[in-house]
Each structure stands twice: as structure tokens, then as C-alpha cells.
Amino acid sequence: MAPNTKSNAVIQSCIGKTVLSCLLIPLLFSSNAFCAIRAVQAGNAPHQYNIKPANVYHVSNNRSEPLLTIFCWTGDPKTVFGLWKTATVYLTIEDEDFYIYKGENASHVVHLHQSLQQSWFSFLPWKEKSISVSPFNMSCVGVFSQSPYSLRLDLRQINFNRLVMFATGILIFMVAPSLCKKVVFHYTTGTLVGVLGSILIIVYLTSRLIPKKSGAYAVLIGGSSIVFYLIRSLWENLYSVLREYHYYVIAYLAASSAISFAFCYRFGPVTNTRTIHLLQWGLQLCGLYLVFESSEHKEGAMAIILVTVVSHNFPGSWWARCRTLWYQRFPPKVRMLTEDEYVEQTRIETERGLKELREFSKSPNCNAWKTISRLKDPLRFAEFVEGKSHLSDREVLDYETTAYRENETWTDDESDEE
């Protein structure tokens, strides 16, 4: 009985230790998690400040841990002239050990900060040092850092970049119907898409080599994220890349452009009417999206988009009727020509008509034999077509004599009246 009792005691001891360890491990992890959350909340009590445009705010942290500081902008009232008004917060800091958040209010910023600190994606390599905020609504920006930094709010009444974006969107929307029918547009667009999308195509082809679907999706998603990060980094350092690696850039552009153009030339431009309509609508949607994103005044942008769409699809007969009613209600003032202006306009229009007649007579559309058969003096007409005057010397002399006699008659009448 002793061996069995001893073995039972050992088993009970093992079971007890196992249960105790199972109870202690979650408690330890939960206490660590609670301490981490408490440390974030207690050690990062946010300081909130109301900022104004053109003021620079310097922040220095005397603590040994990072501190969350919130800067709030109340916003300006919306006006009609504020369509391209923008507000941007610029952060000046020496190192990259910081996090910046954008929210609608202070509590939203605190929530974003706590969520990011507890997230796996807090190690993202790209960090913005300039954030666009709404110039009309309340916006808050939080900075979490231990290093000293300065922050400034830049408020522009008219942002010319947004104005150019707006004009580009309207232009794309208006020229889309005629642009989608041009062969040059199809080749240019296809080549551009091939140049920009060649990296994504390589990622997709690489993912097809992975046997497992999960692995392929991982490569596709992860590769796309890496591609977007590389494109972002290249855009931020575009000048240095073009200066140091211009040979590789030129080689890539030349190879991808040639391959893309070859594909476009092989399949030819789009000829189906419905496909052209789809391209037109897609291009117009891109233009309207540029118009919408060009302004922080979203109500004004939507009003402009609505007016643009309605005016573009307004029937032409209705436009003519509206113009007729407008001219009837507000007739334009007609200015009478002076005698000198009348003579000058007569001379210009006569020369223009004679030039058009010469060009038509020399063109293949003119039936020369039929025209000559109807003329009394074909030789004179031939000389006129070759560049000589349409008046003979006798006609010029008769005209000048008649004008001189009329002038004398008017002079005699005026002398009799005197």
C-alpha cells in the first residue's frame, strides 16, 4: 500500500503544480498587460493646446518617457470664397522616434494612440511630418514623442495646387468624350499603365509560382504593400534617385514602354462603341473625383459637380431656347459702324471672298469644264485664278471717274446751299 500511496501523492503533487501553473500564467500575463496599458495611460496623460495659424509651438519633454501632446484647431466658418482653402500641420523634429495622430477631437486622438500602442502594426516604417486638417471643422493632432519638436499650422486662403487639381478635373471631364475616340490616347494610356503596373504584374506572376493558395495570397498582399512603400519612398526621394540612378531609370522606362507599346500595337485601339463609352465614363469619374478632392468645402465641391454633370447632359435644343429667351429679355446693344469702319470691313471681306474663290477654283472639287462653259471670258477668269486682279483697267477707270463726278455733284450742291 505504501508504494501506491507514494505514487498517488506524487501524481497529486504534479496535478497541483500543473493547476497552479495554469492559474498563475494567465494572471502573470494579465498583470503584465494591465501594467502595460496602465503605463500607457498613466505615463502619457495628454496635454491639450488650442493652436492658431502662423504660430510656432515648441514642445520639450523633461520626462524619461514619451509624452502625448494634443493640438486642436477650431476651424473657420465656411464661405463661398473658401473653396480652395487648406490647413496643414507641419512637424519639425530631428529624429524619427515619434508618432503622430489625426482625429476629430482630443478623445479620438487618445483612442487612436492607445489602439496603435496595443497593435502589431506600430512598427510601420513611414511617418508623416505634415498632416492636412480641415480648415472649417474642428481637428486635433496628437504627437507622441520624447524628443523636443516644434509644430506649426499653415492656413492658406487659396492653395494653388488644389486650384490646378480642380481645373484639371473639369478639363478631363469636358474633353473625355472626344479624347476617348483618339488613337493617340489609347496608345499613351496603355503604355503609361504598362510602365506603372509592371511591378504589380511581376508580383502577381511570382505569387502564381507559390503552390499553396495561402502562400500566394501572402506574397501578393505583402508584395503589394512593399511595392506601395517603395513607390512612396521613390516619390519622396525622386530627385536623388534620378540623379544617382538615372541610367537604371531610363533603362526601365525604355524597356517597359517598348513592351507596353508592343502589346497595344498588337491588339490595336478600342473600336467598340460601348467600350469607348465605358472609358469615357471612367475618365469623367476620375475628373469628378479630382474636383471633389480639390476642395475641403465638400458642399461647394458637390454643388460644382452637380452643375457640371447637369450642364454637360443638358439638351442642345434647350440651350438654344434659353439663349433665345435671354436675348429677347435682354437684347444686346448693337453699335453702328462708322463710314471708315464700313469701308475697311468691305475691303477685308472682299479680299477674303476672292481668296476663297481662288482656292476653290484650284481644288479638285471644282468642275473646271463646267465652270468655263458658263463664263463669257474664260481667259480673264483663268488670269484671276492665277493671281491677277478681278477688275480690268477700264473698270477701275470707270469707277474712279464715277466716284469723282459724284464728289463734284455733292460739292456743287453744298456751294449752292451756302
Side-chain angles (χ1 to χ4, degrees):
M1 296 297 293
N4 293 332
T5 304
K6 188 175 181 180
S7 63
N8 291 333
V10 172
I11 293 173
Q12 290 178 359
S13 176
C14 293
I15 294 174
K17 291 181 179 179
T18 304
V19 172
L20 183 62
S21 63
C22 291
L23 292 175
L24 288 176
I25 289 173
L27 288 175
L28 289 173
F29 277 102
S30 62
S31 62
N32 290 336
F34 178 76
C35 291
I37 296 174
R38 185 175 59 187
V40 171
Q41 294 177 351
N44 298 285
H47 298 272
Q48 181 176 348
Y49 301 95
N50 292 327
I51 59 177
K52 295 182 179 180
N55 293 340
V56 180
Y57 299 87
H58 299 279
V59 178
S60 59
N61 185 10
N62 297 326
R63 302 184 182 182
S64 60
E65 57 185 3
L67 180 66
L68 177 63
T69 308
I70 299 177
F71 305 88
C72 291
W73 155 249
T74 56
D76 288 341
K78 292 183 178 181
T79 59
V80 180
F81 300 99
L83 286 175
W84 301 287
K85 188 176 184 179
T86 57
T88 308
V89 175
Y90 293 97
L91 178 67
T92 304
I93 189 170
E94 294 181 357
D95 54 15
E96 297 293 332
D97 187 14
F98 73 93
Y99 294 95
I100 188 168
Y101 314 94
K102 173 185 173 183
E104 299 176 356
N105 47 45
S107 59
H108 188 199
V109 172
V110 173
H111 175 71
L112 292 175
H113 170 64
Q114 294 176 358
S115 300
L116 183 62
Q117 293 300 313
Q118 301 171 15
S119 175
W120 289 95
F121 296 97
S122 60
F123 58 87
L124 292 176
W126 55 86
K127 295 179 181 180
E128 293 286 349
K129 291 186 178 180
S130 62
I131 293 182
S132 298
V133 297
S134 175
F136 308 109
N137 303 324
M138 181 176 180
S139 302
C140 291
V141 175
V143 180
F144 181 68
S145 177
Q146 186 179 357
S147 305
Y149 59 88
S150 60
L151 186 137
R152 176 175 59 89
L153 175 63
D154 184 18
L155 185 65
R156 296 185 181 182
Q157 298 297 329
I158 297 180
N159 193 322
F160 289 98
N161 294 332
R162 296 292 185 92
L163 183 59
V164 171
M165 184 188 298
F166 172 81
T168 304
I170 294 293
L171 182 63
I172 290 175
F173 182 86
M174 299 304 295
V175 303
S178 59
L179 191 62
C180 291
K181 298 178 182 179
K182 296 183 179 298
V183 179
V184 178
F185 170 76
H186 294 281
Y187 284 108
T188 305
T189 306
T191 304
L192 185 62
V193 170
V195 171
L196 298 179
S198 58
I199 301 178
L200 295 178
I201 294 174
I202 294 173
V203 172
Y204 174 74
L205 295 177
T206 305
S207 65
R208 296 293 299 272
L209 300 177
I210 307 298
K212 296 181 180 180
K213 293 184 178 180
S214 60
Y217 290 139
V219 171
L220 183 60
I221 296 174
S224 301
S225 303
I226 293 173
V227 166
F228 290 142
Y229 172 66
L230 290 176
I231 292 175
R232 183 189 182 90
S233 301
L234 288 174
W235 179 257
E236 293 178 353
N237 304 279
L238 183 61
Y239 177 75
S240 59
V241 170
L242 292 178
R243 182 183 58 187
E244 298 178 4
Y245 305 100
H246 55 278
Y247 292 110
Y248 297 100
V249 173
I250 294 174
Y252 167 74
L253 291 177
S256 58
S257 301
I259 296 173
S260 303
F261 182 80
F263 273 97
C264 295
Y265 182 77
R266 169 62 181 81
F267 295 100
V270 178
T271 57
N272 188 275
T273 306
R274 295 184 177 180
T275 306
I276 293 176
H277 288 167
L278 291 176
L279 291 175
Q280 172 188 335
W281 297 336
L283 199 61
Q284 288 180 334
L285 286 176
C286 292
L288 295 179
Y289 177 76
L290 290 178
V291 173
F292 182 77
E293 290 295 327
S294 65
S295 176
E296 295 291 341
H297 197 320
K298 299 305 180 183
E299 293 82 359
M302 288 301 300
I304 293 175
I305 290 174
L306 183 61
V307 171
T308 304
V309 173
V310 172
S311 61
H312 180 73
N313 296 281
F314 205 71
S317 58
W318 293 8
W319 277 118
R321 180 61 179 171
C322 292
R323 286 196 299 268
T324 302
L325 294 176
W326 176 265
Y327 288 145
Q328 290 177 357
R329 182 67 179 83
F330 304 99
K333 295 181 180 180
V334 180
R335 186 180 67 87
M336 304 300 293
L337 296 176
T338 62
E339 184 177 358
D340 294 338
E341 291 176 344
Y342 173 76
V343 173
E344 181 66 18
Q345 186 174 359
T346 304
R347 183 187 63 80
I348 294 174
E349 293 298 328
T350 302
E351 292 179 355
R352 182 184 303 173
L354 294 174
K355 183 179 179 181
E356 292 178 355
L357 179 59
R358 286 192 180 95
E359 293 177 353
F360 175 76
S361 301
K362 294 179 180 180
S363 65
N365 298 326
C366 177
N367 191 347
W369 294 107
K370 187 176 181 180
T371 303
I372 291 174
S373 62
R374 294 181 178 180
L375 296 176
K376 295 181 179 179
D377 193 352
L379 181 59
R380 181 181 174 184
F381 179 75
E383 293 176 352
F384 162 74
V385 172
E386 293 299 326
K388 291 187 177 181
S389 176
H390 64 288
L391 297 174
S392 61
D393 296 338
R394 183 177 181 81
E395 290 172 345
V396 173
L397 181 60
D398 292 342
Y399 173 76
E400 292 178 352
T401 304
T402 304
Y404 177 75
R405 289 177 179 177
E406 290 179 355
N407 189 17
E408 283 187 346
T409 304
W410 283 103
T411 304
D412 293 340
D413 292 341
E414 290 176 358
S415 61
D416 292 342
E417 289 177 0
E418 291 178 358

